[in-house]
Every structure is written in structure tokens, then in C-alpha cells.
Amino acid sequence: MFQGFPEIKEALISNQMQAAFMVAPMAIALRAQGVPIKIVYLGHRYGSAVVVQKNGPVHSFADLKGRIVAVPSRYSDERLILFRAMAANGMSARDLRLVEMAPPDVAGALAAGAIDAFSMGEPYPSQAESAGFGRVLFHARQYWPDFISCVLVVRQDVIDRRPEAVQVLVDGIARSGLWLENPPKRRARREHAADFVGRFYYRQDPKLLKWALTKPLERVQYQPLTPLRKDFELIVRLMRETGVLDHDIAFEDYVDPRFAEGAKHETEWRYEPGDASAE
Amino acid sequence: MRKIGVAVAAWLAFITAAHLSMNVDWKVLLNDRLPERERKLNVAYIPVT
């Protein structure tokens, strides 16, 4: 587990890590700079929001003018969503003061008044909301239907030498997504996932993850996770427009869709809360 | 003097054992020594969705 995307980038480049979940624009930028990686799947859809101080003066996007807004990275969809919102509200890049901040730090910074707002993935919007000092100004889907944030990237040498291992990884994520989105069991399974992910993986309060996964259930979605050309071409266009990508890059250069294709016939994990293992 | 030497040696042994058990990820070390085809992939993430 890492605490920021720059560290993940370095671990991936140095082969300390062979795969990583990272924000989509960072993956595209790395590929555009010649780093041998490919996006093979999505981590989730939606699950990002802009949060302001609960009792503060910001009640509309226009109220953010001149204020400090934290984003996880200049290469993040959470930054791009702000540009989409600015365009929709007749504002320009000079109207916001964007600062980069490690995701785990933003809720504390908002509570302390060091920033006026943050644009971040869950569970940090939930953290600010549930603790009583933050208010969601808008969820990403309001300005960006089909919003995606974190993607799964894999080193090219691993894709070339061990495609079967990459397929196992992608199949597992696909099956987890299907398991979480099973309509009649959605809430119970998300609550169970919040409990074991919080305790054994994220080292976070399960109540916080339960909030992020269930208030409402559509806050974060885990299907469909296939990387689609139209979604990524929009990200590349926004990156070009906002100055974080200096040349166009073809979808095929940074996405390898065969693993998502291979996972299309997967079914959800056979596992219910209390089972000793999943099949 | 001999008692002090034994105590220091015991303390060093305890600290070393505690360090090796708490701060070294043996699963990762053992995984790195496996043949490539049997090795588990290391997947990086941060605690966000």
C-alpha cells in the first residue's frame, strides 16, 4: 500500500511493482513519455467528488473563485473534472488556486482550513462528510457522465512474458466487481467488503468505507470496467487542453484491451459473508 | 563484566529478532526468489476507490 501516486509511479518504473492502480491521466502521461506500461482494466467508475467546508461560504461552483482547491495530482481526473466544471460555469484556470496533495492529507487540511475544497476519490469525501466538517459540493458524474478515475496498469514486459498472470488478475477484479454489483445482495455485500477491506487492506475504519460504498449505493460503481475508447479519448483531449500532455497519443498505444475482452465471460465470485474462501 | 556482555548480547538478539519479524516482509522476499513464472505480481495501490 502506498500513500501517493508519485511513489507508485517510481515503484512501477523501477520494477519494484509489476502492476498498479493509478489515476488514468498519469498512466497516459507515463506512456506518452515512453514508459513501457499499458492500461488493461478500470478500477471503478465514479467515486470522486468535490468537497467544501460544511459551514463555509461555498454553496455553488462559482463560489470557489479565488479559493484553494486540492487535487491528488496534476495528472488526475479529479483535476480534469474541475476544468470541466469551470468551463460549464464560465470560469477559467486562473479562477481557482489548485494545489497537489496526497489523498490521505486532504480531509485534515480541509478541517484545519488550510484548503477551501478538495477534489478527490473516495473514501476522503466520505471522511469529511461523516466527520461533520465537509459537504459534497458535487459528485463527478454531475459534470462528467461515465467518469473514470483509477485504472489498472501493467508493465509491458509482464504483459509480454506472463499474459496468463495478467488475465488472472483482471478476471479476479471483474469477478469482484460483479460480486459487489449483484442487485439483490448489493448492500449486504458492500457492507461486508467495507469491513474486510478496511481491516485487512486499507487499514481504515470499516464504518468510513461503509459510508463510501453505500451512501448512496451508486456512489462508487464496479461495473462496467472495460476500458472504452470514447472515455479515454475524452481524457486525452482534456489533458491536451489543460496543458499536461504535449502531443496526441493513440488509444492502442496506452490500452491493451485483450484482457478486458478475456474477462467478459467471467461470473461473480462464489462467496458469501462467513465463507472460508471464495471460488 | 561477563553478565553485562551476556545482557547486551541477549538484548541485541531480541532486537534483531523483533526487527526481522516486524519490519521484514518475508512473503515479498520469498516471492522475489521464486522462478518468474511462479512469482506473484506485486500490485501497488493507495487507499482510495
Side-chain angles (χ1 to χ4, degrees):
Chain A
M1 183 165 70
F2 289 72
Q3 294 300 322
F5 291 113
E7 295 87 347
I8 287 185
K9 178 192 75 175
E10 295 302 323
L12 198 60
I13 291 172
S14 65
N15 199 21
Q16 186 194 354
M17 294 285 140
Q18 289 77 51
F21 287 97
M22 64 167 58
V23 273
M26 181 175 283
I28 294 168
L30 286 173
R31 187 69 201 99
Q33 291 162 17
V35 177
I37 56 167
K38 286 274 172 62
I39 296 168
V40 297
Y41 213 44
L42 306 188
H44 60 92
R45 282 182 181 269
Y46 311 111
S48 291
V50 170
V51 178
V52 298
Q53 287 167 348
K54 184 177 181 182
N55 299 314
V58 179
H59 295 278
S60 67
F61 190 80
D63 293 337
L64 282 175
K65 192 169 185 177
R67 299 186 185 276
I68 301 173
V69 185
V71 295
S73 163
R74 74 190 63 183
Y75 301 104
S76 66
D77 303 271
E78 285 75 14
R79 173 181 171 274
L80 297 180
I81 194 72
L82 290 171
F83 279 83
R84 278 183 78 96
M86 280 190 272
N89 287 276
M91 293 163 68
S92 72
R94 279 177 293 185
D95 289 328
L96 295 186
R97 294 163 64 193
L98 299 183
V99 295
E100 292 179 67
M101 195 172 277
D105 295 338
V106 292
L110 184 73
I115 56 175
D116 299 300
F118 64 75
S119 177
M120 200 64 64
E122 293 291 353
Y124 301 105
S126 291
Q127 186 181 10
E129 255 193 324
S130 61
F133 58 81
R135 172 169 40 86
V136 172
L137 186 63
F138 65 85
H139 288 281
R141 53 160 46 95
Q142 183 177 332
Y143 287 100
W144 191 335
D146 302 326
F147 178 83
I148 59 177
S149 177
C150 276
V151 296
L152 176 65
V153 300
V154 179
R155 286 174 56 93
Q156 188 65 51
D157 58 344
V158 176
I159 290 175
D160 294 340
R161 294 209 296 262
R162 301 186 63 196
E164 72 293 341
V166 179
Q167 189 66 63
V168 168
L169 177 61
V170 171
D171 288 351
I173 297 166
R175 298 188 71 187
S176 297
L178 290 165
W179 187 84
L180 279 166
E181 299 292 4
N182 181 316
K185 299 174 178 174
R186 211 171 170 203
R187 179 174 295 279
R189 286 182 171 180
R190 282 171 174 247
E191 288 176 355
H192 181 64
D195 182 58
F196 71 76
V197 170
R199 286 191 292 136
F200 301 120
Y201 291 91
Y202 279 18
R203 308 279 192 267
Q204 288 172 334
D205 185 349
K207 286 181 194 157
L208 171 62
L209 296 186
K210 187 176 162 186
W211 184 295
L213 291 177
T214 62
K215 287 180 182 284
L217 288 171
E218 293 72 30
R219 195 164 180 140
V220 192
Q221 289 183 229
Y222 296 93
Q223 281 289 317
L225 299 179
T226 296
L228 301 177
R229 181 184 297 270
K230 68 175 178 61
D231 294 335
F232 283 91
E233 288 182 346
L234 173 60
I235 293 172
V236 167
R237 180 168 65 77
L238 290 169
M239 289 174 72
R240 295 272 284 137
E241 287 173 3
T242 60
V244 291
L245 189 66
D246 60 8
H247 62 275
D248 278 325
I249 177 167
F251 179 74
E252 292 75 15
D253 284 347
Y254 58 86
V255 172
D256 190 332
R258 72 184 127 144
F259 302 102
E261 198 59 39
K264 272 190 174 165
H265 304 294
E266 287 296 327
T267 53
E268 66 176 42
W269 287 111
R270 278 184 288 172
Y271 171 80
E272 294 302 332
D275 287 356
S277 62
E279 293 174 18
Chain B
M1 196 66 183
R2 188 166 172 274
K3 278 186 180 172
I4 293 174
V6 169
V8 168
W11 176 248
L12 284 175
F14 171 74
I15 289 294
T16 303
H19 166 67
L20 291 175
S21 95
M22 288 191 284
N23 299 326
V24 177
D25 193 334
W26 292 99
K27 277 186 186 169
V28 171
L29 279 183
L30 294 173
N31 185 51
D32 289 347
R33 298 181 74 84
L34 290 172
E36 188 185 11
R37 300 206 71 78
E38 296 171 28
R39 218 175 287 162
K40 286 187 176 177
L41 300 179
N42 292 320
V43 183
Y45 66 95
I46 63 172
V48 295
T49 47

